[in-house]
């Protein structure tokens, strides 16, 4: 039983409307699900992904208006990579960011890949990573109903960077509990700090990696808007999910147990540095209650919440997402 890669990354936003504008109009991602935070139904939960809402392509956002900003630090998911086709595509995005005033760096090498780091409007740290023909976890499918040319589309999640004060406990969980393997390292780009460690699972490649950055000089992160809430790893189906639930419980972690999110099954636990991990199934998928053609067009509620739709909608603030 192996985890096959990253499933999704969930982030906090204080402005869902502007968030929608940035991720669909500037980045050209598809809104594949407009739902609610199932643990706090007064909050929207927006999912962006590829053309089909494929596992391994989603950035998701919990909307909390008025939320304070993130104070960066350790015990955090400090950056999220997004896959693109090639270095030529990075040049396209660099030019686009310059035209649109998106804060970004120059193209730099990370983990032997050409990359382009940038921030969204709330300071979320994102990094475009060029596949350049690398084998590994398959990329997603370009969303063609956008002004971004298909050859330059964002194709799904790459790695996440975990920033910690002490790396060994997190590395131990990745390798000894979750089955990742150490595959190399690369120099830190922010100063004279230890090399960033790279761990991979499944078929490997950009969509199946976790990078650990050791920064003992930083305080603990104070999470707010623009900060990453958790990262989820892919489990192919419910049968294998049962194995992983048992494994996490036998490893002694305080955990959520099985949680039915309708679109996937989930389990949550914190690794020793306090970063929230989730294990999520690929099945049944985001098209279980909407056709692929109509993903994200209405407020989606799982069947076990449908009887409360009127009550839930009454407590949600109006949300105008302009196509």
């Amino acid at each position: 039983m192996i985890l096959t890669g990253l499933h999704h990354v969930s982030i906090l936003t204080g402005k869902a409307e502007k968030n929608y504008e940035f991720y669909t109009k500037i980045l050209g991602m598809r809104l594949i699900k407009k739902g609610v935070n199932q643990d706090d139904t007064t909050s929207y939960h927006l999912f962006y992904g590829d053309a089909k809402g494929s596992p391994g392509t989603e950035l998701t956002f919990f909307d909390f208006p008025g939320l304070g900003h993130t104070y960066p630090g350790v015990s955090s998911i400090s950056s999220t990579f997004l896959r693109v086709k090639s270095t030529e595509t990075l040049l396209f995005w660099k030019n686009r960011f310059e035209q649109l005033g998106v804060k970004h760096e120059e193209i730099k090498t990370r983990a032997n890949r050409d990359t382009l780091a940038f921030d969204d409007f709330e300071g979320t740290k994102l990094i475009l990573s060029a596949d350049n023909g690398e084998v590994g976890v398959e990329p997603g499918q370009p969303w063609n109903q956008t002004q971004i040319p298909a050859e330059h589309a964002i194709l799904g999640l790459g790695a996440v960077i975990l920033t910690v004060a002490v790396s060994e406990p997190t590395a131990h969980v990745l390798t000894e509990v979750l089955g990742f393997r150490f595959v190399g390292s690369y120099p830190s780009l922010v100063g004279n700090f230890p090399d960033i460690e790279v761990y991979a699972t499944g078929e490997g490649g950009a969509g199946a990696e976790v990078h650990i950055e050791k920064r003992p000089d930083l305080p603990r992160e104070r999470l707010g808007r623009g900060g990453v809430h958790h990262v989820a790893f892919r489990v192919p189906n419910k049968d294998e999910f049962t194995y992983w639930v048992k494994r996490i419980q036998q490893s002694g972690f305080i955990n959520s147990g099985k949680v039915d999110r309708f679109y996937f099954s989930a389990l949550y636990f914190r690794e020793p540095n306090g970063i929230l991990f989730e294990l999520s199934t690929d099945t049944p998928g985001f098209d279980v209650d909407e056709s692929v053609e109509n993903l994200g067009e209405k407020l989606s509620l799982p069947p076990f919440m449908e009887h409360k739709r009127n009550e839930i909608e009454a407590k949600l603030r109006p949300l105008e997402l302009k196509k």
Side-chain angles (χ1 to χ4, degrees):
M1 300 287 184
I2 58 172
L3 302 174
T4 55
L6 272 68
H7 188 281
H8 65 269
V9 172
S10 291
I11 307 172
L12 304 181
T13 181
K15 297 181 179 179
E17 291 85 354
K18 194 170 180 180
N19 178 273
Y20 173 81
E21 290 287 324
F22 186 89
Y23 285 90
T24 65
K25 305 298 174 57
I26 293 181
L27 295 189
M29 300 180 75
R30 184 182 186 187
L31 178 68
I32 62 164
K33 193 64 62 178
K34 180 173 68 173
V36 296
N37 180 344
Q38 293 181 18
D39 300 318
D40 177 3
T41 58
T42 63
S43 168
Y44 287 100
H45 193 184
L46 305 180
F47 293 73
Y48 305 100
D50 73 343
K52 297 176 63 177
S54 306
T57 69
E58 282 87 33
L59 287 180
T60 94
F61 291 85
F62 298 114
D63 175 49
F64 294 103
L67 187 66
H69 65 81
T70 291
Y71 292 85
V74 296
S75 297
S76 69
I77 303 167
S78 57
S79 294
T80 303
F81 290 76
L82 299 172
R83 297 171 66 182
V84 295
K85 183 177 180 180
S86 66
T87 302
E88 181 182 357
T89 291
L90 296 182
L91 294 172
F92 165 86
W93 282 103
K94 183 174 182 293
N95 181 62
R96 181 169 176 80
F97 291 159
E98 288 169 352
Q99 291 178 346
L100 297 176
V102 175
K103 182 180 177 182
H104 67 281
E105 296 181 356
E106 297 300 311
I107 294 174
K108 298 179 180 179
T109 300
R110 295 175 170 88
N112 297 316
R113 302 183 186 101
D114 289 337
T115 63
L116 176 63
F118 68 101
D119 293 359
D120 79 357
F121 68 99
E122 291 178 304
T124 301
K125 302 295 182 183
L126 301 164
I127 305 173
L128 296 177
S129 176
D131 280 358
N132 283 327
E134 180 182 2
V135 297
V137 175
E138 286 291 323
Q141 297 187 17
W143 174 231
N144 58 16
Q145 296 185 39
T146 173
Q147 59 181 291
I148 307 300
E151 65 268 23
H152 296 318
I154 291 171
L155 301 175
L157 294 174
V160 289
I161 298 178
L162 310 182
T163 297
V164 297
V166 180
S167 61
E168 289 79 7
T170 300
H172 177 82
V173 171
L174 287 175
T175 58
E176 301 304 315
V177 179
L178 298 182
F180 280 71
R181 59 194 179 274
F182 176 74
V183 296
S185 61
Y186 61 98
S188 171
L189 298 181
V190 295
N192 189 27
F193 296 103
D195 287 354
I196 296 173
E197 302 167 2
V198 180
Y199 296 84
T201 187
E203 296 180 9
E209 288 181 358
V210 170
H211 300 182
I212 300 181
E213 176 188 36
K214 187 175 180 180
R215 290 292 302 273
D217 59 305
L218 295 176
R220 191 179 181 93
E221 178 190 61
R222 291 167 56 189
L223 185 62
R225 66 178 186 270
V228 178
H229 186 265
H230 66 267
V231 57
F233 302 113
R234 292 175 64 181
V235 179
N237 53 58
K238 284 191 175 182
D239 289 339
E240 293 195 25
F241 182 69
T242 298
Y243 163 83
W244 282 105
V245 171
K246 183 177 180 180
R247 183 170 178 83
I248 297 302
Q249 292 174 341
Q250 290 179 338
S251 297
F253 290 101
I254 297 173
N255 65 88
S256 65
K258 293 182 179 181
V259 180
D260 180 9
R261 297 302 191 195
F262 182 55
Y263 308 106
F264 51 86
S265 296
L267 176 139
Y268 304 84
F269 72 99
R270 291 191 184 274
E271 54 78 48
N273 275 301
I275 297 170
L276 185 59
F277 286 172
E278 176 183 345
L279 305 183
S280 298
T281 58
D282 286 357
T283 55
F286 292 104
D287 58 352
V288 68
D289 61 348
E290 295 179 295
S291 67
V292 171
E293 294 75 21
N294 301 114
L295 289 173
E297 293 184 0
K298 64 179 180 65
L299 181 69
S300 295
L301 297 176
F304 50 81
M305 288 185 175
E306 190 61 47
H307 68 287
K308 294 184 177 180
R309 176 176 287 273
N310 290 340
E311 177 185 343
I312 290 171
E313 290 184 343
K315 293 180 180 179
L316 286 168
R317 67 183 183 85
L319 184 62
E320 296 294 331
L321 304 181
K322 299 178 181 179
K323 298 293 184 179

